[in-house]
């Protein structure tokens, strides 16, 4: 038998096909025997009412059937049963049974028999209340401080609390903001009623407030009275849970304890009487019922929690003390005292399994058998010791087979090969084939995802076997009417190792420039120009760009033009006398892809020739004015997007208001003139459609502007890197600062993100003095700025400090700008 299993003391199965819930079980001395021993009262949705006085079956007894004292078939389903002092002229305990449309109070009495059948029990109805509304649940207590008898409060399905003082009806009140009924309980310490509303918050209402609030027959009357006259019903305090509550409980085992327990769907809460949280326990399962009870430790409370995994767990505050396995999932749990045992846990399942159990362990009667004494063979022991030492030495030398060290050969290798052949599709959109070669040594499931902003790719799922090679072919084509901001992509392959460990292999690739442009005739004049310097003699551009010589008219290789598929042209011109190369175009951001390709091809060209000291450079100045034009254009489109959004909201509100007025006119029994409301509605509808079309067009322009802004920012980073000779780490910091987003969102845009990142650099690694350093990042919310003046000022200051010797670093201590200025540097 398992150690962590509830010990069965008594059990019974109630009927067949009956249903039960958390309110269908209660315990108490319902027959007023005076012995202090509890009886179990169970009601079902089929209308069956049963009373049990359980005790374990003794040897010779066939079954515990005689433990059932009473079984009565009632006319209506039983929602909840409670035991209390519900009769005004008697101090005895009575049974309250809640039906959907009726509240009945019964007395249970036993008559001693003269024959061997023993005591016979009878159920007698004392009084009943017919309800005007369908009941959901009820609670009872000494409402208003009355200590000798119990009053009852019933919550209806439409949110009305109906109060009964024994045989008489007192009053009814509607809960404000009601949608669906929740658990209900009464706290006698504060004379308040607690419930959990559909807003997923605990609400507390004082009995005095409920009694003096305005009475109403319907919910509409209650809302109308609350707005016009009378006292409006308001909660004494509320606490947001964020989840629906399963049950509420206010322990009454100690007058000094002031705790309110709430069992949620995922958490167990303990609250003070004023609504403050005393503690909270996160549950790793779905609870089905709970019951707080007294603890042996002072200042703590024990809680029984049942879940849908047939487990019953015991918590002392937030500490799990015991866990026991039940035979079924409980929907109600109670503690009872019986003649043979006290503190018995009574559980009831939704199918009618009634079980009385206790926590504990069974003693183990297993004893270790004696081992026969024999003489030790020391030579055999010596031989076994030597063999074990040999195994240990071998394991020490081959620790790589035991410890999880990094393998020299990867489990999976991914290589990307970009085809040089392009298929022309309608001349304007070339399609490029890309092959991904996957070599695997294990059986795995692969997901290949290629990510690019403007160039379109696909995602696929396939299988590969042990030691096999799988080739996956993709096609890339231009997915827009403007050049992309980047031609690089990532291949991410997710797979599982033989031991089930998920892993990811990555590979980078670059698409050729020929995919987005074609050769063209060079132009001599252009609006935007930049010059790249080298430390080696000028080279023939036809050697650097052999794939762009189809339409080149320059036989000497001093000029080369690139015609992008979206329209703009970029020209590269080499100086005949100096080591300079000019890149010019009518669009500033279109220079980026050609400038990047030129720098990379120069590096590869001189690397093939064995030149190790080759270096590209940019003499300056940084074209910030041209760059800020792109920034302002992007910001203007963002402002326009917000304006369109506000105008659409205003027109939508106006359209709905006109609709409501028209609907009122159409529903009116006496026809009235429309007063041109239909014309106004049609005009408003046209405005909404026009604004929606304009907003959609602005959104497309904003997407294009952001891609162009990324291209211009890439070009700015390249020029700053060539200007100051930034290394790879510094270039990565600058790129992360100026390109924090892959796309704009309504919540966060490029301007505020870059402004925050640049401001952080200016206060840390590029600060002028230690006093200017910001040791912690700002936690304020980023909002869209009113203009770009502050952003342009910060970017200008960033370039200025980099030009004066500042260095980008995550460690702000090694900053030359923070060194004291010498007199010569001050004069300079």
């Amino acid at each position: 038998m398992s150690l962590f299993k509830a010990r069965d003391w008594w059990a019974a199965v109630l009927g067949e096909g009956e249903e039960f819930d958390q309110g269908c079980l209660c315990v108490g001395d319902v027959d007023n025997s005076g012995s202090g021993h509890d009886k179990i009262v169970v009601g079902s949705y089929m209308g069956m009412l049963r009373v049990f006085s359980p005790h374990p079956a003794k040897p010779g007894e066939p079954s515990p059937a005689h433990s059932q004292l009473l079984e009565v078939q009632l006319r209506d389903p039983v929602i909840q049963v409670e035991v209390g002092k519900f009769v005004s002229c008697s101090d005895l305990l009575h049974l309250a049974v809640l039906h959907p449309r009726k509240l009945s109070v019964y007395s249970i009495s036993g008559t001693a028999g003269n024959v061997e059948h023993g005591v016979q029990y009878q159920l007698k109805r004392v009084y009943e209340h017919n309800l005007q509304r369908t009941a959901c649940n009820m609670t009872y207590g000494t409402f208003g401080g009355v200590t000798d008898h119990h009053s009852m409060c019933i919550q209806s399905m439409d949110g009305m609390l109906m109060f009964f003082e024994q045989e008489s009806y007192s009053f009814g009140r509607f809960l404000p903001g009601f949608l669906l009924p929740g658990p209900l309980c009464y706290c006698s310490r504060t004379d308040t009623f607690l419930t959990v509303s559909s807003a997923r918050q605990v609400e507390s209402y004082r009995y005095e407030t409920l009694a003096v609030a305005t009475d109403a027959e319907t919910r509409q009357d209650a809302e109308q009275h609350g707005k016009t006259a009378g006292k409006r019903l308001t909660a004494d305090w509320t606490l947001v849970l964020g989840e629906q509550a399963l049950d509420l409980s206010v322990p009454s085992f100690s007058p000094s304890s002031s705790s309110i327990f709430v069992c949620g769907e995922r958490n167990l809460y303990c609250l003070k009487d004023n609504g403050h949280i005393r503690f909270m326990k996160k549950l790793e399962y779905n609870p089905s019922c709970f019951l707080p009870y007294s603890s042996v430790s002072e200042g703590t409370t024990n809680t029984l929690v049942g879940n849908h995994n047939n487990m019953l767990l015991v918590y002392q505050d937030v500490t799990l003390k015991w866990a026991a396995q039940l035979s079924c999932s409980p929907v109600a749990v109670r503690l009872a005292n019986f003649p043979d045992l006290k503190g018995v846990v009574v559980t009831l399942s939704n199918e009618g399994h009634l079980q009385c159990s206790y926590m504990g362990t069974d003693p183990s009667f297993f004893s270790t058998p004696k081992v026969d004494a024999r003489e030790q063979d020391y030579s055999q022991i010596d031989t076994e010791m030597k063999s074990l030492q040999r195994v240990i030495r071998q394991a020490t030398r081959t620790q790589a087979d035991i410890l999880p060290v990094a393998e020299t050969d990867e489990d999976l290798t991914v290589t990307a090969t970009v085809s040089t052949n392009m298929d022309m599709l309608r001349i304007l959109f070339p399609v490029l084939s890309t092959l991904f070669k996957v070599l695997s040594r294990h059986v795995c499931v692969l997901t290949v995802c290629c990510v690019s902003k403007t160039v379109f790719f696909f995602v696929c799922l396939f299988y590969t076997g042990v030691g096999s090679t799988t080739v996956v072919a993709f096609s890339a084509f231009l997915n827009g009417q403007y050049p992309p901001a980047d031609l690089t992509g990532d291949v991410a392959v997710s797979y599982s190792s033989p031991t089930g460990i998920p892993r990811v292999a990555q590979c980078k690739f670059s698409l050729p420039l020929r995919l987005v442009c074609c050769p063209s005739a060079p132009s001599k004049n252009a609006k935007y120009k930049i010059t790249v310097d080298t430390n080696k003699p000028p080279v023939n551009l036809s050697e650097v760009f052999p794939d762009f010589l189809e339409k080149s008219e320059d036989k000497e290789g001093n000029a080369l033009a690139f015609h992008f598929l979206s329209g703009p042209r970029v020209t590269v011109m080499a100086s005949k006398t100096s080591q300079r190369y000019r890149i010019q175009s009518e669009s500033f951001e279109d220079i980026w892809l050609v400038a990047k390709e030129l720098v990379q091809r120069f590096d590869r060209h001189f690397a093939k020739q064995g030149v190790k000291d080759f270096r590209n450079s940019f003499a300056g100045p940084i074209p910030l004015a041209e760059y800020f034009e792109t920034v302002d254009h992007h910001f203007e489109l963002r402002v326009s997007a917000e304006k369109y959004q506000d105008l659409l909201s205003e027109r939508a509100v106006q359209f709905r208001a006109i609709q409501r007025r028209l609907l009122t006119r159409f529903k009116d029994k006496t026809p009235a003139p429309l007063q041109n409301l239909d014309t106004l509605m049609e005009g408003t509808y046209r405005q909404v459609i026009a604004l929606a079309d304009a907003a959609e067009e602005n959104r497309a322009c904003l997407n294009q502007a952001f891609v162009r802004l990324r291209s211009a920012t890439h070009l700015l980073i390249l020029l700053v890197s060539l200007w100051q000779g930034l290394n790879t780490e510094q270039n990565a910091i600058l790129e992360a600062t100026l390109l924090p987003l892959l796309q704009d969102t309504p919540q966060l845009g490029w301007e505020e993100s870059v402004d925050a990142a640049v401001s952080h650099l200016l206060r840390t690694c590029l600060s002028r003095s230690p006093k200017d350093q910001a040791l912690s990042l700002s936690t304020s919310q980023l909002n869209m700025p009113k203009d770009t003046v502050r952003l342009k000022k910060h970017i200008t200051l960033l370039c200025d400090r980099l030009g004066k010797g500042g260095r980008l670093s995550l460690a702000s201590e090694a900053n030359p700008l923070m060194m004291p200025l010498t007199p010569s540097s001050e004069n300079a």
Side-chain angles (χ1 to χ4, degrees), residues 785-802:
K786 297 181 180 180
D787 50 42
T788 58
V789 175
R790 173 188 171 95
L791 172 64
K792 292 188 288 187
K793 179 181 177 181
H794 285 169
I795 294 178
T796 304
L797 191 58
L798 171 69
C799 297
D800 180 63
R801 292 190 180 180
L802 286 176

Side-chain angles (χ1 to χ4, degrees), residues 37 53 177 213 301 313 347 364 375 505 525 538 552 564 571 607 669 786:
H37 299 146
S53 178
T301 303
L313 301 99
T347 56
S364 176
E375 295 183 358
N525 299 323
S552 177
F564 284 93
T571 303
K669 295 181 180 179
K786 297 181 180 180

